[in-house]
Amino acid sequence: DGFVVGFWGSPDGRTIAALRVQPAVGSATPSGGVPSPEEQERVVRLLFVDVGSGETRSQPIVTPGQRFIETQLAFFDQYALSHHLWAPDSSSMLMPETGQDGVTHIAVRFADGRDPIILEGESAFWSP
C-alpha cells in the first residue's frame, strides 16, 4: 500500500531501495470511520527489496529531511543517476533524515535492517 516517490538500485544489482509514502497503521478518523485520503496519517518507509526473490529485507520508517525532499526527490530524474546514495559495497544507503528535535542528520541505513549509524550533516553521497 502506498506510493513510491523514489527508488535506487544497489551497485551490485541485488537490492532495490524505495521510499514509499503509505497510510499509517491504524489511522482512523475521530468518529472511528474510514478516513478520507486527506485525513489519513501517513508514514514514509525506506524499503530494501531483494531483486531475485522479491522479498522485503527491511522497511524502517524514516522522516526525510526537507532539503532532500525539495532537491533530490523533487528532481529525482536528475539526481538518481549522478548522486550515489548507495554504499559501493551495496550494504547501506545514506538517507538525510529529520530527528524528533527537528535537526536533520545523515542516517546510514543498512539493507539488512541493522540499527542505523547517525552522522552530522544534511546531505551526503558516496564516492563511486
Side-chain angles (χ1 to χ4, degrees):
D1 294 339
F3 298 97
V4 172
V5 296
F7 61 93
W8 303 265
S10 65
D12 67 7
R14 295 183 180 156
T15 307
I16 292 176
L19 269 181
R20 181 176 68 191
V21 179
Q22 65 185 68
V25 175
S27 65
T29 62
S31 63
V34 175
S36 71
E38 295 81 25
E39 296 174 313
Q40 286 183 333
E41 183 181 338
R42 301 196 187 290
V43 296
V44 179
R45 289 192 179 270
L46 179 60
L47 283 81
F48 290 97
V49 180
D50 181 273
V51 172
S53 68
E55 291 184 29
T56 300
R57 296 177 64 192
S58 65
Q59 54 177 331
I61 293 175
V62 298
T63 305
Q66 194 62 36
R67 183 175 294 183
F68 177 77
I69 292 168
E70 292 172 353
T71 58
Q72 292 184 53
L73 286 183
F75 301 100
F76 179 76
D77 301 10
Q78 294 150 355
Y79 280 101
L81 296 176
S82 62
H83 292 66
H84 303 279
L85 298 179
W86 271 104
D89 68 358
S90 300
S91 66
S92 62
M93 277 191 63
L94 299 173
M95 181 58 52
E97 298 180 29
T98 301
Q100 291 181 352
D101 60 0
V103 175
T104 300
H105 58 267
I106 303 299
V108 179
R109 292 283 180 174
F110 293 94
D112 63 9
R114 283 182 276 162
D115 289 339
I117 296 171
I118 305 301
L119 307 170
E120 290 185 30
E122 286 193 29
S123 185
F125 305 99
W126 289 101
S127 179

